[in-house]
mmCIF file of all heavy atoms in Angstrom:
data_model
loop_
_atom_site.group_PDB
_atom_site.id
_atom_site.type_symbol
_atom_site.label_atom_id
_atom_site.label_comp_id
_atom_site.label_asym_id
_atom_site.label_seq_id
_atom_site.Cartn_x
_atom_site.Cartn_y
_atom_site.Cartn_z
ATOM 1 N N VAL A 420 13.049 -0.027 23.183
ATOM 2 C CA VAL A 420 13.317 -1.005 22.112
ATOM 3 C C VAL A 420 12.270 -2.131 22.169
ATOM 4 O O VAL A 420 11.883 -2.675 21.127
ATOM 5 C CB VAL A 420 14.765 -1.556 22.204
ATOM 6 C CG1 VAL A 420 15.015 -2.589 21.109
ATOM 7 C CG2 VAL A 420 15.777 -0.422 22.078
ATOM 8 N N ALA A 421 11.797 -2.454 23.372
ATOM 9 C CA ALA A 421 10.743 -3.486 23.480
ATOM 10 C C ALA A 421 9.482 -3.039 22.741
ATOM 11 O O ALA A 421 8.799 -3.854 22.115
ATOM 12 C CB ALA A 421 10.432 -3.776 24.945
ATOM 13 N N ARG A 422 9.173 -1.757 22.791
ATOM 14 C CA ARG A 422 8.013 -1.263 22.023
ATOM 15 C C ARG A 422 8.306 -1.312 20.523
ATOM 16 O O ARG A 422 7.422 -1.576 19.718
ATOM 17 C CB ARG A 422 7.639 0.151 22.465
ATOM 18 C CG ARG A 422 7.010 0.211 23.855
ATOM 19 C CD ARG A 422 6.417 1.584 24.151
ATOM 20 N NE ARG A 422 7.432 2.620 24.224
ATOM 21 C CZ ARG A 422 8.160 2.913 25.313
ATOM 22 N NH1 ARG A 422 7.965 2.243 26.435
ATOM 23 N NH2 ARG A 422 9.062 3.879 25.276
ATOM 24 N N ASP A 423 9.581 -1.080 20.158
ATOM 25 C CA ASP A 423 9.945 -1.216 18.738
ATOM 26 C C ASP A 423 9.707 -2.662 18.287
ATOM 27 O O ASP A 423 9.189 -2.894 17.188
ATOM 28 C CB ASP A 423 11.421 -0.837 18.510
ATOM 29 C CG ASP A 423 11.695 0.641 18.775
ATOM 30 O OD1 ASP A 423 10.736 1.441 18.743
ATOM 31 O OD2 ASP A 423 12.873 0.995 19.013
ATOM 32 N N THR A 424 10.111 -3.610 19.139
ATOM 33 C CA THR A 424 9.869 -5.029 18.818
ATOM 34 C C THR A 424 8.372 -5.259 18.621
ATOM 35 O O THR A 424 7.958 -5.917 17.656
ATOM 36 C CB THR A 424 10.339 -5.945 19.979
ATOM 37 O OG1 THR A 424 11.675 -5.631 20.336
ATOM 38 C CG2 THR A 424 10.237 -7.415 19.591
ATOM 39 N N ALA A 425 7.582 -4.730 19.544
ATOM 40 C CA ALA A 425 6.127 -4.952 19.489
ATOM 41 C C ALA A 425 5.540 -4.389 18.202
ATOM 42 O O ALA A 425 4.673 -5.003 17.574
ATOM 43 C CB ALA A 425 5.461 -4.324 20.710
ATOM 44 N N ARG A 426 6.028 -3.205 17.799
ATOM 45 C CA ARG A 426 5.512 -2.603 16.563
ATOM 46 C C ARG A 426 5.885 -3.460 15.343
ATOM 47 O O ARG A 426 5.088 -3.631 14.430
ATOM 48 C CB ARG A 426 6.059 -1.178 16.380
ATOM 49 C CG ARG A 426 5.219 -0.127 17.089
ATOM 50 C CD ARG A 426 5.753 1.274 16.817
ATOM 51 N NE ARG A 426 6.920 1.551 17.628
ATOM 52 C CZ ARG A 426 6.885 2.103 18.850
ATOM 53 N NH1 ARG A 426 5.739 2.473 19.375
ATOM 54 N NH2 ARG A 426 7.989 2.300 19.531
ATOM 55 N N LEU A 427 7.098 -4.007 15.360
ATOM 56 C CA LEU A 427 7.517 -4.851 14.227
ATOM 57 C C LEU A 427 6.713 -6.151 14.198
ATOM 58 O O LEU A 427 6.313 -6.626 13.130
ATOM 59 C CB LEU A 427 9.026 -5.137 14.312
ATOM 60 C CG LEU A 427 9.928 -3.920 14.015
ATOM 61 C CD1 LEU A 427 11.361 -4.174 14.446
ATOM 62 C CD2 LEU A 427 9.892 -3.566 12.527
ATOM 63 N N LEU A 428 6.476 -6.722 15.386
ATOM 64 C CA LEU A 428 5.662 -7.950 15.443
ATOM 65 C C LEU A 428 4.248 -7.682 14.934
ATOM 66 O O LEU A 428 3.651 -8.502 14.237
ATOM 67 C CB LEU A 428 5.597 -8.483 16.880
ATOM 68 C CG LEU A 428 6.791 -9.330 17.345
ATOM 69 C CD1 LEU A 428 6.742 -9.539 18.865
ATOM 70 C CD2 LEU A 428 6.825 -10.685 16.628
ATOM 71 N N ASP A 429 3.740 -6.539 15.298
ATOM 72 C CA ASP A 429 2.400 -6.147 14.868
ATOM 73 C C ASP A 429 2.352 -5.994 13.340
ATOM 74 O O ASP A 429 1.430 -6.474 12.679
ATOM 75 C CB ASP A 429 2.071 -4.812 15.550
ATOM 76 C CG ASP A 429 0.581 -4.620 15.673
ATOM 77 O OD1 ASP A 429 -0.108 -5.604 15.966
ATOM 78 O OD2 ASP A 429 0.124 -3.482 15.455
ATOM 79 N N ALA A 430 3.374 -5.340 12.810
ATOM 80 C CA ALA A 430 3.449 -5.171 11.347
ATOM 81 C C ALA A 430 3.542 -6.540 10.673
ATOM 82 O O ALA A 430 2.918 -6.766 9.619
ATOM 83 C CB ALA A 430 4.648 -4.307 10.967
ATOM 84 N N TYR A 431 4.275 -7.451 11.296
ATOM 85 C CA TYR A 431 4.439 -8.793 10.721
ATOM 86 C C TYR A 431 3.071 -9.440 10.476
ATOM 87 O O TYR A 431 2.854 -10.066 9.433
ATOM 88 C CB TYR A 431 5.277 -9.671 11.660
ATOM 89 C CG TYR A 431 5.561 -11.047 11.098
ATOM 90 C CD1 TYR A 431 6.732 -11.296 10.395
ATOM 91 C CD2 TYR A 431 4.657 -12.095 11.253
ATOM 92 C CE1 TYR A 431 6.986 -12.545 9.852
ATOM 93 C CE2 TYR A 431 4.901 -13.349 10.712
ATOM 94 C CZ TYR A 431 6.074 -13.565 10.021
ATOM 95 O OH TYR A 431 6.321 -14.806 9.483
ATOM 96 N N GLY A 432 2.173 -9.267 11.423
ATOM 97 C CA GLY A 432 0.839 -9.866 11.293
ATOM 98 C C GLY A 432 0.121 -9.395 10.035
ATOM 99 O O GLY A 432 -0.602 -10.172 9.398
ATOM 100 N N ARG A 433 0.319 -8.143 9.673
ATOM 101 C CA ARG A 433 -0.359 -7.634 8.476
ATOM 102 C C ARG A 433 0.466 -7.839 7.195
ATOM 103 O O ARG A 433 -0.084 -7.791 6.096
ATOM 104 C CB ARG A 433 -0.772 -6.171 8.667
ATOM 105 C CG ARG A 433 -2.101 -6.048 9.427
ATOM 106 C CD ARG A 433 -2.486 -4.611 9.666
ATOM 107 N NE ARG A 433 -1.552 -3.965 10.575
ATOM 108 C CZ ARG A 433 -1.669 -3.958 11.901
ATOM 109 N NH1 ARG A 433 -2.690 -4.536 12.477
ATOM 110 N NH2 ARG A 433 -0.769 -3.360 12.651
ATOM 111 N N ILE A 434 1.772 -8.077 7.350
ATOM 112 C CA ILE A 434 2.570 -8.468 6.174
ATOM 113 C C ILE A 434 2.164 -9.877 5.746
ATOM 114 O O ILE A 434 2.028 -10.166 4.559
ATOM 115 C CB ILE A 434 4.089 -8.478 6.515
ATOM 116 C CG1 ILE A 434 4.612 -7.072 6.815
ATOM 117 C CG2 ILE A 434 4.890 -9.102 5.376
ATOM 118 C CD1 ILE A 434 6.024 -7.045 7.396
ATOM 119 N N ASN A 435 1.943 -10.725 6.756
ATOM 120 C CA ASN A 435 1.815 -12.152 6.471
ATOM 121 C C ASN A 435 0.393 -12.566 6.052
ATOM 122 O O ASN A 435 -0.197 -13.476 6.612
ATOM 123 C CB ASN A 435 2.295 -12.969 7.676
ATOM 124 C CG ASN A 435 2.692 -14.375 7.262
ATOM 125 O OD1 ASN A 435 3.072 -14.603 6.106
ATOM 126 N ND2 ASN A 435 2.569 -15.318 8.173
ATOM 127 N N GLN A 436 -0.134 -11.862 5.073
ATOM 128 C CA GLN A 436 -1.448 -12.170 4.507
ATOM 129 C C GLN A 436 -1.280 -12.309 2.994
ATOM 130 O O GLN A 436 -0.518 -11.565 2.387
ATOM 131 C CB GLN A 436 -2.421 -11.028 4.816
ATOM 132 C CG GLN A 436 -2.606 -10.808 6.321
ATOM 133 C CD GLN A 436 -3.582 -9.678 6.614
ATOM 134 O OE1 GLN A 436 -3.405 -8.561 6.141
ATOM 135 N NE2 GLN A 436 -4.610 -9.977 7.380
ATOM 136 N N SER A 437 -1.995 -13.232 2.422
ATOM 137 C CA SER A 437 -1.736 -13.566 1.019
ATOM 138 C C SER A 437 -2.621 -12.821 0.019
ATOM 139 O O SER A 437 -3.847 -12.907 0.077
ATOM 140 C CB SER A 437 -1.934 -15.066 0.810
ATOM 141 O OG SER A 437 -1.729 -15.364 -0.560
ATOM 142 N N PRO A 438 -1.977 -12.142 -0.942
ATOM 143 C CA PRO A 438 -2.732 -11.534 -2.041
ATOM 144 C C PRO A 438 -2.898 -12.498 -3.226
ATOM 145 O O PRO A 438 -3.615 -12.182 -4.177
ATOM 146 C CB PRO A 438 -1.851 -10.350 -2.468
ATOM 147 C CG PRO A 438 -0.563 -10.477 -1.725
ATOM 148 C CD PRO A 438 -0.539 -11.766 -0.988
ATOM 149 N N LEU A 439 -2.203 -13.641 -3.207
ATOM 150 C CA LEU A 439 -2.130 -14.497 -4.395
ATOM 151 C C LEU A 439 -3.504 -15.028 -4.796
ATOM 152 O O LEU A 439 -4.263 -15.505 -3.955
ATOM 153 C CB LEU A 439 -1.163 -15.660 -4.138
ATOM 154 C CG LEU A 439 -0.716 -16.440 -5.380
ATOM 155 C CD1 LEU A 439 0.009 -15.551 -6.383
ATOM 156 C CD2 LEU A 439 0.178 -17.612 -4.985
ATOM 157 N N GLY A 440 -3.783 -14.931 -6.090
ATOM 158 C CA GLY A 440 -5.085 -15.362 -6.605
ATOM 159 C C GLY A 440 -6.004 -14.177 -6.858
ATOM 160 O O GLY A 440 -7.088 -14.332 -7.408
ATOM 161 N N ALA A 441 -5.546 -12.992 -6.452
ATOM 162 C CA ALA A 441 -6.341 -11.786 -6.728
ATOM 163 C C ALA A 441 -6.236 -11.415 -8.203
ATOM 164 O O ALA A 441 -7.032 -10.628 -8.722
ATOM 165 C CB ALA A 441 -5.851 -10.628 -5.872
ATOM 166 N N ALA A 442 -5.215 -11.979 -8.861
ATOM 167 C CA ALA A 442 -4.905 -11.678 -10.263
ATOM 168 C C ALA A 442 -4.641 -10.180 -10.438
ATOM 169 O O ALA A 442 -4.107 -9.557 -9.523
ATOM 170 C CB ALA A 442 -5.987 -12.196 -11.189
#
Side-chain angles (χ1 to χ4, degrees):
V420 179
R422 289 191 295 276
D423 294 339
T424 308
R426 273 183 282 270
L427 289 166
L428 278 168
D429 205 40
Y431 184 94
R433 277 178 294 271
I434 294 170
N435 202 26
Q436 300 180 305
S437 178
L439 194 60

